[in-house]
Structures are given as structure tokens and as C-alpha cells.
């Protein structure tokens, strides 16, 4: 029986295989976060409108779109939320297993382009913070990302 199934699988190939795999596998949202620093090592923090009271400060974050690399998501989200341009560096965090969400974070550097223009639908305030002077209502996972993403 196993040989027959393997033979059928090899025979169908291509898009039919992909469709069957798509139907049989779990679907995930991918949340992408950027730990954006300026040349002085300050971190870009945003006060998010839709996040819970008392936990509104966090890093630039958003969902990856179909066909977009995670690095492209960081660049797009920072630009959409703040108008700033960034260069994306190394991955600093990858986690799965939380419901149907995968979380990925990258270190990024402010590239010097763009002008600070907040997307007032999503963002209430933005500020550059020294890593040792972060807002008290910063999301704890984002505080940990900032600490763990420091250059080694």
C-alpha cells in the first residue's frame, strides 16, 4: 500500500502536489517585527493605537503579505508606520507554536532616508529611546528583543 501511495504521489507532480499539501497543512499568519536602531544605538519605539492600554509601546510590527520576504515586510511596515527607510540586518528571533502565528524579528538600521510621518490610523506616537531608558509600558517580549538584539 505504501509503495502504491508513493508511486501515485510521484506521478501527480507539480501544482497538484502543492494544492494537496496546502489543503493538508496548517495555515499560519506571520508577524514580523523590526528592532530598528539609529547610528547612536537608540531604538525606534511606537505607541500603537490598537494595542491594549498600558501595553501600547512596542517595536514596528506587522503581518507579512503573500509573496513578500520577511525582510521586505520590515521595510514596508516601518515605512508605512513612520515614513522612515531602514536597512534590514540579521534575524534575531523566530518562534512558532502560538496558535496559528509565527513570529519573526530582524535587527534593522535607520538608513537616513524618509521623513518621520506617522500613520495616525495605527500609530499615536514615535520616539527614539536609549536601550536603558525604555517606556515602562513597553511590551515585555519587545523589551527582550531589544536586549537580545544588541550587537555582540
Amino acid at each position: 500500500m505504501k509503495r502504491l501511495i508513493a508511486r501515485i504521489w510521484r506521478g501527480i507532480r507539480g501544482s497538484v502536489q502543492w494544492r494537496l499539501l496546502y489543503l493538508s497543512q496548517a495555515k499560519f499568519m506571520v508577524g514580523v517585527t523590526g528592532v530598528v536602531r539609529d547610528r547612536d544605538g537608540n531604538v525606534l519605539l511606537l505607541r500603537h493605537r490598537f494595542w491594549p492600554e498600558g501595553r501600547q509601546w512596542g517595536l514596528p510590527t506587522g503581518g507579512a503579505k503573500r509573496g513578500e520576504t520577511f525582510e521586505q515586510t520590515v521595510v514596508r511596515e516601518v515605512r508605512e508606520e513612520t515614513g522612515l527607510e531602514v536597512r534590514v540586518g540579521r534575524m534575531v528571533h523566530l518562534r512558532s507554536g502560538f496558535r496559528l502565528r509565527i513570529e519573526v524579528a530582524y535587527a534593522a538600521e535607520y538608513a537616513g532616508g524618509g521623513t518621520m510621518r506617522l500613520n495616525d490610523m495605527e500609530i499615536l506616537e514615535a520616539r527614539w529611546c536609549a536601550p536603558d531608558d525604555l517606556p515602562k509600558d513597553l511590551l515585555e517580549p519587545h523589551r527582550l528583543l531589544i536586549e537580545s538584539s544588541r550587537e555582540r
Side-chain angles (χ1 to χ4, degrees), residues 1 12 31 36 41 49 68 74-75 85 91 102-103 116 124 130 148 152:
M1 183 62 157
I12 59 176
V36 180
R49 180 180 303 278
E68 183 176 65
V74 172
V75 171
E85 298 296 327
M91 182 189 303
I102 295 171
E103 298 173 355
M116 183 72 84
L124 296 167
S148 69
R152 295 178 181 115

Side-chain angles (χ1 to χ4, degrees), residues 109-123:
E109 179 185 5
Y110 172 53
T115 303
M116 183 72 84
R117 290 180 328 278
L118 299 184
N119 174 342
D120 62 0
M121 180 66 176
E122 293 182 53
I123 306 301

Side-chain angles (χ1 to χ4, degrees), residues 11-128:
I12 59 176
R13 294 190 185 148
S15 65
V16 175
Q17 277 183 339
W18 279 105
R19 285 187 179 111
L20 290 171
L21 286 170
Y22 178 83
L23 292 171
S24 68
Q25 302 299 311
K27 311 305 179 278
F28 292 91
M29 294 181 297
V30 180
V32 182
T33 300
V35 184
V36 180
R37 295 179 191 274
D38 65 10
R39 291 180 188 190
D40 297 324
N42 297 313
V43 180
L44 177 63
L45 293 177
L46 308 175
R47 193 161 62 97
H48 297 261
R49 180 180 303 278
F50 299 110
W51 291 12
E53 289 288 330
R55 295 186 299 154
Q56 288 181 293
W57 281 101
L59 297 162
T61 301
K65 292 184 176 181
R66 188 180 306 249
E68 183 176 65
T69 67
F70 300 150
E71 295 89 346
Q72 290 169 332
T73 302
V74 172
V75 171
R76 177 183 52 77
E77 283 294 331
V78 172
R79 185 183 313 119
E80 285 178 3
E81 293 176 347
T82 68
L84 300 178
E85 298 296 327
V86 298
R87 282 188 295 271
V88 179
R90 65 186 170 84
M91 182 189 303
V92 295
H93 177 78
L94 177 63
R95 179 177 158 220
S96 65
F98 178 73
R99 298 187 185 158
L100 293 176
R101 181 177 167 96
I102 295 171
E103 298 173 355
V104 61
Y106 284 86
E109 179 185 5
Y110 172 53
T115 303
M116 183 72 84
R117 290 180 328 278
L118 299 184
N119 174 342
D120 62 0
M121 180 66 176
E122 293 182 53
I123 306 301
L124 296 167
E125 184 181 350
R127 79 169 77 135
W128 291 98

